[in-house]
Each structure stands twice: as structure tokens, then as C-alpha cells.
């Protein structure tokens, strides 16, 4: 499982925090935790959802999967733009591709429900941030001392 955490701007105004756990062992599945800083909602977007959206958008599965990963992980080039929306009842989360200011199309959406244990969900978010910070410190230390760590490539230039 791969995890990402990002701050996103909602098209309806405001900021949300998005924790994404992506599982691709037997199936493609995105487990989402969305927080406004005080409450947490959880949802899931899986290969059945991707297949349904693929048919609607007339895209191949891999193309939609890539766009979905880009949108949900916020790991995309600066030339791309995505919009995010948490509806007013806080029951649905949507992500849209916005190729320009006047055109957007929905890449996906999922039903969300309040987390059963919001404190535990917030701790999961904080744990991810702390773990990621520790990993970055270790990588920085490896670069500074010149001793490469697993997964870190150093140039010999």
C-alpha cells in the first residue's frame, strides 16, 4: 500500500486535507480520509468505480487510473489542474480534471461517511506526516553525508 497526504483547495471554498491509501495488489483501490481539521470523512474508490467512469468518459482503464492517481495524490505536472469538491451535506467527494478555466470534467467521486473514530483517523493522518518527515530527514542526512540510503540515487557528477 502506498500513502499520500496533501492539502487541497475545495472548489466550494475552504481547505481540506486528503490522506490517500492506494492498494494495487489484486485490485486498484483508493481509500480516502478527508478532513477539514476537526472532522474526518472516509470513502473508497475502487476498480469497479474506475470501470464505470471509464465507460462514461470513454477512456481506457489505464488512462483513467493514471488521471485518478494524479488527482488524488496531487503528484502531477504544473500544467495540469484538478478541482475538488466535498458536497454541502458532506456525503460525497468529487475530483475533476480542469484543462482550462472554462472546462472541467469529473474523473471520479465517492460516497463519504463520517469516520467512526475521528480521533483515530486524525492520528493516522498525523502518523503519516511524522513518518514522512522522518524519512525526509534521513534522506537529507544521507545526501549531506554522501552515504546513499535505500531508494535514494545520488548523482556522481
Amino acid at each position: 500500500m502506498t500513502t499520500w497526504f496533501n492539502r487541497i483547495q475545495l472548489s466550494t471554498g475552504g481547505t481540506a486535507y486528503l490522506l490517500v491509501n492506494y492498494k494495487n495488489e489484486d485490485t486498484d483501490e483508493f481509500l480516502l480520509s478527508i478532513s477539514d481539521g476537526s472532522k474526518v470523512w472516509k470513502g473508497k474508490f475502487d476498480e469497479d468505480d474506475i470501470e464505470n467512469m471509464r465507460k462514461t468518459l470513454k477512456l481506457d482503464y489505464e488512462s483513467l487510473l493514471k488521471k485518478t492517481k494524479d488527482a488524488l495524490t496531487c503528484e502531477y505536472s504544473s500544467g495540469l489542474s484538478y478541482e475538488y469538491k466535498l458536497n454541502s451535506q458532506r456525503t460525497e467527494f468529487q475530483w475533476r480534471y480542469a484543462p482550462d478555466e472554462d472546462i472541467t470534467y469529473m474523473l471520479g467521486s465517492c460516497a463519504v461517511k463520517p469516520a467512526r473514530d475521528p480521533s483515530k483517523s486524525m492520528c493516522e493522518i498525523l502518523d503519516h506526516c511524522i513518518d514522512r518527515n522522518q524519512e525526509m530527514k534521513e534522506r537529507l542526512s544521507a545526501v549531506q553525508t554522501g552515504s546513499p540510503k535505500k531508494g535514494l540515487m545520488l548523482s556522481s557528477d
Side-chain angles (χ1 to χ4, degrees):
M1 183 171 356
T2 307
T3 303
W4 293 271
F5 179 68
N6 289 287
R7 178 179 47 232
I8 57 174
Q9 297 301 313
L10 299 173
S11 62
T12 52
T15 299
Y17 303 92
L18 177 62
L19 181 71
V20 178
N21 291 307
Y22 173 61
K23 298 190 324 187
N24 66 341
E25 291 132 18
D26 298 333
T27 180
D28 291 303
E29 182 176 69
F30 296 88
L31 303 173
L32 310 177
S33 296
I34 304 144
S35 176
D36 64 1
S38 62
K39 296 178 183 157
V40 179
W41 298 270
K42 295 207 172 246
K44 178 176 78 167
F45 189 74
D46 62 22
E47 66 183 11
D48 291 336
D49 299 315
I50 295 169
E51 185 62 28
N52 290 335
M53 284 304 298
R54 181 197 73 73
K55 291 175 185 172
T56 301
L57 295 171
K58 298 184 180 10
L59 288 173
D60 64 272
Y61 185 92
E62 290 302 317
S63 294
L64 183 56
L65 177 62
K66 181 181 180 338
K67 286 188 182 303
T68 299
K69 278 185 195 174
D70 289 349
L72 294 179
T73 65
C74 300
E75 291 190 351
Y76 49 85
S77 67
S78 60
L80 299 177
S81 181
Y82 295 92
E83 293 181 359
Y84 306 92
K85 181 179 180 182
L86 188 58
N87 71 351
S88 60
Q89 297 84 19
R90 303 298 197 240
T91 58
E92 182 182 42
F93 178 67
Q94 298 178 354
W95 51 99
R96 298 173 174 269
Y97 176 59
D100 69 38
E101 288 182 21
D102 300 323
I103 300 171
T104 64
Y105 63 89
M106 188 163 66
L107 289 175
S109 68
C110 68
V112 293
K113 294 181 180 179
R116 287 190 199 134
D117 187 346
S119 296
K120 182 179 177 188
S121 295
M122 286 302 289
C123 286
E124 288 173 2
I125 291 170
L126 293 171
D127 284 343
H128 173 74
C129 293
I130 291 166
D131 291 346
R132 187 77 174 143
N133 184 43
Q134 183 61 37
E135 180 185 321
M136 292 294 110
K137 283 181 182 178
E138 289 171 5
R139 287 182 177 200
L140 179 59
S141 177
V143 169
Q144 290 173 337
T145 62
S147 59
K149 300 274 184 183
K150 181 181 175 186
L152 179 63
M153 300 293 290
L154 296 177
S155 173
S156 60
D157 295 340

